[in-house]
Amino acid sequence: MSGAESAYTSQYTSWGRYPRAQHRVRRLAWRHDAEAALTPGDGTVLPYAYGRSYGDVCLNDGGTLIDTRALNRLIAFDPQTGVLRAEAGVSLEQVLAFAVPRGFFLPVSPGTRYVSLAGAVANDVHGKNHHRAGTFGRHVRAFELLRSDSASGRAGCTRTRTDSASGRAGCTRTRTDSASGRAGCTRTRTDGARLVCSPEENPELFRATVGGLGLTGLMLWVEIALKPIRSAELEVETIKFANLDEFFELSAESDATHDYTVAWVDCAASGATLGRGLLMRGNEAADGPLTPHTTRRLNVPLEAPNALLNPLSIRAFNALYYHKRRAKVVRTRQHYSSFFYPLDALGGWNKLYGPRGLLQYQCVLPYAGDAGPLKMIFRAVADSGMGSPLAVLKVFGDLPSPGMLSFPRPGVTLALDFPNAGARTLALLARLDDIVRAEGGRLYPAKDARMSGRDFRRFYPQWRAFARFVDPRFSSSFWRRVTQDAAQETGGDGEDV
């Protein structure tokens, strides 16, 4: 570890750039020396890589961030099985650049490749193939977790093997573990609070860490099972739908025939066109080049003025985007980069929302054939006159997520981006909260910057069981925001609401 440490800085932000926070930062260079990152006296700590969470789940205002981006080394790869072990700060972009030419792809990917492996685990991210593959955590075979305490005394936890041969307290070494069943991989042996977690080893801590928002300790490496592919391209259909009822019909049909589905919705539309949009569905091409993405992209050089994204410009953009193709169905062959990561082509696109940043709102609602709750959300957005240039709709499948706090559940998920217009935006989002709460849905912590603690605890009733696995040195602005008022609501006993 370099031990590099800066004074308090606000340069580490979330992708939404709201709220702003001040941190002390420690940069971690080597996983073998990671204990130094947990030096007492720094207050609470939180891992941080590329800052692609939208709200304050990746912030630790007044505390310390452990910058893990230098943990960017691949450790082992089995070309027969596609099992990859890599350091926690390796980005999905790095994984793709390595794996695609070898005929493998990520089993699950979010809408950006600028996410670390540890971040993908900590938020148990999902993708366009949730109906077929579930969440990212379902494909994680193991990870190593460094804790500031001994977790052996916690329910469901066991300490990993002691390396008495090292003779050095706090030191680690690796060896090939032929008994692990993971060909080509190595397993770390420890004499401290380093824990190897998998569905079989320390399973409760594994379940707490997957979707655990980086609060259960510092991940040092992650082992995932990649999926084989025959081409870096996909056969894609883009289909116009006139309203939400047609969307659900198309989605059900597409889930049975396509690996990947997602829809963009014109949330400025109302009346007879409420919920109109474009559904994109795709399957891996049967043959073609195994060419990875390029790193060339345009960059937004400066912050846009707040007035750039206003109701009129958003409405005009949405109408133009919906009508950009005249045909009902358009069939194309696309590289994975344009299908999965269209926004990555524009670096710093979050600056388009101006200096006050943006708030993303992502919810999941139960769905049993009634699109009514979703229509209420779109009507509330249309009535507010605010609009969203990015409204993404997807039906989740019923594959269970492994994490205690994983967001996906069976139903329909909607993500909306709003320029931060202060109280007006917050009032709209509070109105949407009312609908989500009444319909038995929940919000996505990775995208949140303002949900109430009461709502969080209602949406995630396992939060108290999860809290037993939070490392005592770890915290975040989000975690404090949604848990610190729990005792006040219950007369001091802190029981869930």
Side-chain angles (χ1 to χ4, degrees):
M1 165 156 179
S2 67
E5 182 178 344
S6 67
Y8 279 97
T9 175
S10 60
Q11 294 179 349
Y12 285 66
T13 66
S14 63
W15 190 245
R17 306 169 76 210
Y18 172 85
R20 302 295 179 124
Q22 292 275 328
H23 309 94
R24 186 181 299 276
V25 177
R26 284 189 174 273
R27 299 181 180 88
L28 182 60
W30 302 99
R31 70 181 188 280
H32 300 299
D33 297 324
E35 282 80 1
L38 303 184
T39 302
D42 281 353
T44 61
V45 300
L46 184 72
Y48 181 102
Y50 301 98
R52 286 302 181 118
S53 297
Y54 279 71
D56 55 357
V57 76
C58 65
L59 305 178
N60 187 22
D61 195 14
T64 298
L65 294 180
I66 303 173
D67 187 333
T68 62
R69 283 174 288 184
L71 296 186
N72 59 0
R73 306 168 190 88
L74 305 181
I75 300 172
F77 177 68
D78 185 332
Q80 300 302 315
T81 64
V83 173
L84 172 72
R85 181 178 291 194
E87 290 186 333
V90 166
S91 68
L92 301 188
E93 179 181 42
Q94 288 178 264
V95 173
L96 291 168
F98 172 83
V100 170
R102 292 166 174 79
F104 288 94
F105 197 75
L106 292 164
V108 167
S109 179
T112 174
R113 57 182 183 264
Y114 299 114
V115 174
S116 70
L117 281 174
V121 176
N123 292 288
D124 199 13
V125 298
H126 57 272
K128 298 177 176 64
N129 59 344
H130 184 273
H131 59 289
R132 295 278 179 93
T135 63
F136 191 87
R138 290 178 60 90
H139 307 274
V140 175
R141 291 168 57 96
F143 50 78
E144 186 181 46
L145 196 67
L146 174 64
R147 291 186 60 98
S148 68
D149 63 347
S150 169
S152 59
R154 291 173 179 269
C157 297
T158 56
R159 188 183 294 228
T160 51
R161 293 178 292 278
T162 297
D163 184 4
S164 58
S166 72
R168 294 176 296 166
C171 296
T172 62
R173 70 181 186 182
T174 57
R175 65 181 175 87
T176 300
D177 185 2
S178 58
S180 70
R182 302 184 186 112
C185 294
T186 59
R187 171 167 294 192
T188 301
R189 304 173 63 195
T190 86
D191 58 359
R194 291 182 179 229
L195 303 169
V196 173
C197 303
S198 72
E200 298 80 30
E201 193 170 3
N202 294 313
E204 290 301 307
L205 192 52
F206 179 86
R207 290 186 61 237
T209 303
V210 174
L213 312 177
L215 295 167
T216 62
L218 180 62
M219 269 182 275
L220 299 176
W221 54 255
V222 178
E223 184 177 289
I224 60 171
L226 302 174
K227 62 174 289 186
I229 55 172
R230 295 164 292 178
S231 171
E233 298 175 340
L234 297 100
E235 304 287 353
V236 177
E237 290 183 341
T238 302
I239 307 173
K240 277 186 175 179
F241 54 89
N243 50 49
L244 288 175
D245 294 330
E246 187 178 354
F247 160 76
F248 282 108
E249 291 175 8
L250 276 172
S251 181
E253 170 196 312
S254 303
D255 284 357
T257 57
H258 289 76
D259 287 338
Y260 304 100
T261 65
V262 71
W264 168 86
V265 177
D266 176 4
C267 69
S270 59
T273 61
L274 181 75
R276 71 179 182 184
L278 305 170
L279 183 136
M280 283 72 75
R281 62 187 187 185
N283 283 320
E284 168 205 333
D287 53 42
L290 290 169
T291 307
H293 59 274
T294 68
T295 56
R296 295 190 302 272
R297 61 177 180 170
L298 299 174
N299 288 298
V300 177
L302 300 170
E303 287 180 335
N306 285 327
L308 179 64
L309 290 176
N310 57 58
L312 287 177
S313 65
I314 291 173
R315 180 176 291 276
F317 167 82
N318 283 9
L320 185 64
Y321 193 76
Y322 180 74
H323 291 293
K324 68 176 182 177
R325 292 188 176 99
R326 302 179 65 178
K328 171 76 173 177
V329 181
V330 176
R331 295 180 176 84
T332 56
R333 186 171 172 124
Q334 295 183 21
H335 190 265
Y336 72 79
S337 59
S338 59
F339 182 74
F340 288 106
Y341 314 112
L343 289 176
D344 283 350
L346 185 61
W349 62 262
N350 55 343
K351 296 178 185 174
L352 294 174
Y353 287 81
R356 292 189 294 194
L358 73 146
L359 291 107
Q360 186 168 96
Y361 190 90
Q362 184 164 1
C363 64
V364 57
L365 295 166
Y367 178 72
D370 178 13
L374 207 53
K375 291 178 181 177
M376 284 193 283
I377 288 181
F378 281 117
R379 287 194 188 101
V381 174
D383 291 347
S384 75
M386 297 192 65
S388 168
L390 187 69
V392 178
L393 199 57
K394 160 77 183 166
V395 174
F396 282 151
D398 57 5
L399 292 171
S401 303
M404 292 181 181
L405 298 187
S406 294
F407 163 69
R409 57 183 289 183
V412 57
T413 183
L414 171 67
L416 301 163
D417 281 357
F418 296 100
N420 179 14
R424 187 175 171 218
T425 306
L426 296 176
L428 169 62
L429 301 189
R431 169 68 187 120
L432 303 188
D433 288 350
D434 293 340
I435 299 171
V436 171
R437 189 185 313 115
E439 298 300 327
R442 65 185 179 203
L443 304 184
Y444 191 7
K447 305 293 182 66
D448 178 67
R450 30 62 59 199
M451 87 166 103
S452 71
R454 180 180 288 269
D455 276 347
F456 170 78
R457 298 189 291 275
R458 180 182 289 110
F459 297 155
Y460 294 90
Q462 285 188 285
W463 78 274
R464 187 164 293 285
F466 165 79
R468 292 187 298 122
F469 296 95
V470 173
D471 187 296
R473 287 289 315 282
F474 283 58
S475 186
S476 69
S477 298
F478 172 86
W479 185 244
R480 293 189 291 274
R481 174 164 60 83
V482 300
T483 61
Q484 282 187 343
D485 60 345
Q488 297 174 10
E489 291 177 344
T490 56
D493 61 5
E495 290 301 312
D496 198 6
V497 293

